Amino acid sequence: MVFDMGGVLVELGPLTSLLGDDPLPPDQFWASWLASPTVRDFEMGGCTVEEFGERLVVELGLSTSGASLVERFGSWPLGLFPGARQLIDDLRSSADPHRGLEIAVLSNTNALHWDNQPEHHVVKSLFTRRYLSFEIGLAKPDRAIFEHVLEDLAVKPGQVVFLDDNQINVDGARAVGIDAVLARGVGEARTALAERNLLDGSA
């Protein structure tokens, strides 16, 4: 079982909290964010957080400063969604004890968020495996990161369920044969798992 982090288990603040007075429409923002060379470079460990801020301001044409963007970016994660920890506990309880269950996180993220977000110790404790873009130098939606996960878990694609809040990442996982589902928040994640008989659908 593989989870994206932000938008599925961890709540992110509104775009205005990140972009200030220059909010883009959500669809436009996420398309730009996921395709951004600056974001990819940063989340794959290729530049400092200061360089990230300065470059992204220019790239997105924002009126804020790089330093201000970095400050806002650091506080963008708000902590676990209500019910996220219970969801993981229920998933573990429902698993066949004889088969075992790996619960992994697959996230395009960075050291700033991984180590300093609210409840970061709890977030880290939820997973038995972690695949973080800044640690492994790979990023969604590229095929290589999903192949890396499959190789590390030593499983066939059809044995993995992956939940992500962005369709482009879901499509990337499906392209290698993974059972990937679009899930925004804990409620949709629980529904997707219940549909696969991995847990009870009730909260």
Side-chain angles (χ1 to χ4, degrees):
M1 185 64 236
V2 181
F3 290 90
D4 178 30
M5 185 168 59
V8 179
L9 298 176
V10 171
E11 184 177 7
L12 300 176
L15 295 185
T16 51
S17 71
L18 177 64
L19 305 179
D21 296 329
D22 297 311
L24 300 171
D27 289 347
Q28 182 182 345
F29 168 79
W30 283 113
S32 299
W33 184 268
L34 292 170
S36 164
T38 298
V39 172
R40 285 177 61 85
D41 194 25
F42 177 55
E43 293 192 331
M44 292 169 69
C47 67
T48 68
V49 67
E50 293 80 13
E51 291 168 337
F52 161 75
E54 294 295 336
R55 287 168 52 183
L56 194 62
V57 162
V58 173
E59 187 177 302
L60 297 182
L62 304 178
S63 61
T64 189
S65 68
S68 178
L69 179 64
V70 166
E71 183 177 356
R72 290 170 174 166
F73 181 72
S75 59
W76 197 20
L78 302 179
L80 288 165
F81 277 116
R85 190 172 186 178
Q86 187 64 53
L87 173 70
I88 301 299
D89 288 344
D90 290 348
L91 185 58
R92 286 200 175 99
S93 298
S94 300
D96 183 342
H98 300 292
R99 296 177 60 188
L101 176 67
E102 294 279 11
I103 299 179
V105 58
L106 170 57
S107 179
N108 288 357
T109 191
N110 53 84
L112 180 66
H113 284 171
W114 181 247
D115 291 324
N116 298 288
Q117 66 181 305
E119 304 177 272
H120 63 96
H121 292 300
V122 178
V123 173
K124 294 175 182 179
S125 73
L126 299 179
F127 309 109
T128 55
R129 303 274 186 117
R130 72 191 205 194
Y131 305 103
L132 308 176
S133 59
F134 78 97
E135 290 185 338
I136 61 178
L138 301 170
K140 300 177 292 185
D142 296 353
R143 184 181 186 90
I145 196 168
F146 298 111
E147 291 178 338
H148 172 81
V149 171
L150 294 173
E151 181 178 359
D152 188 69
L153 291 174
V155 295
K156 297 178 180 178
Q159 295 175 278
V160 175
V161 177
F162 171 58
L163 304 184
D164 197 285
D165 67 322
N166 275 294
Q167 187 64 48
I168 189 173
N169 295 332
V170 171
D171 293 342
R174 287 176 177 171
V176 301
I178 291 172
D179 181 10
V181 188
L182 184 69
R184 296 185 172 116
V186 171
E188 292 185 13
R190 183 175 287 276
T191 297
L193 297 180
E195 289 173 347
R196 286 155 178 76
N197 297 314
L198 293 173
L199 48 70
D200 188 331
S202 60

Short mmCIF file of all heavy atoms in Angstrom, two decimals, residues 66 77 100 107 176 191:
data_model
loop_
_atom_site.label_atom_id
_atom_site.label_comp_id
_atom_site.label_asym_id
_atom_site.label_seq_id
_atom_site.Cartn_x
_atom_site.Cartn_y
_atom_site.Cartn_z
N GLY A 66 11.75 36.03 -3.09
CA GLY A 66 12.11 34.64 -2.90
C GLY A 66 12.10 34.25 -1.43
O GLY A 66 11.62 33.17 -1.08
N PRO A 77 2.46 22.88 4.73
CA PRO A 77 1.79 21.71 5.32
C PRO A 77 1.18 22.10 6.68
O PRO A 77 1.83 22.72 7.52
CB PRO A 77 2.93 20.70 5.51
CG PRO A 77 4.04 21.18 4.63
CD PRO A 77 3.92 22.67 4.63
N GLY A 100 1.49 -10.08 5.66
CA GLY A 100 2.24 -8.85 5.92
C GLY A 100 1.77 -7.74 5.01
O GLY A 100 1.20 -7.98 3.95
N SER A 107 6.41 10.37 -2.20
CA SER A 107 6.10 11.79 -2.21
C SER A 107 7.18 12.61 -2.90
O SER A 107 8.37 12.39 -2.68
CB SER A 107 5.94 12.29 -0.76
OG SER A 107 5.66 13.67 -0.72
N VAL A 176 2.75 1.93 -15.50
CA VAL A 176 3.61 0.78 -15.21
C VAL A 176 2.81 -0.39 -14.63
O VAL A 176 3.40 -1.38 -14.22
CB VAL A 176 4.77 1.17 -14.26
CG1 VAL A 176 5.61 2.26 -14.86
CG2 VAL A 176 4.25 1.58 -12.88
N THR A 191 -12.53 5.36 1.03
CA THR A 191 -13.45 4.78 0.05
C THR A 191 -12.72 3.91 -0.95
O THR A 191 -13.16 2.79 -1.27
CB THR A 191 -14.21 5.90 -0.69
OG1 THR A 191 -15.01 6.63 0.25
CG2 THR A 191 -15.10 5.33 -1.77
#
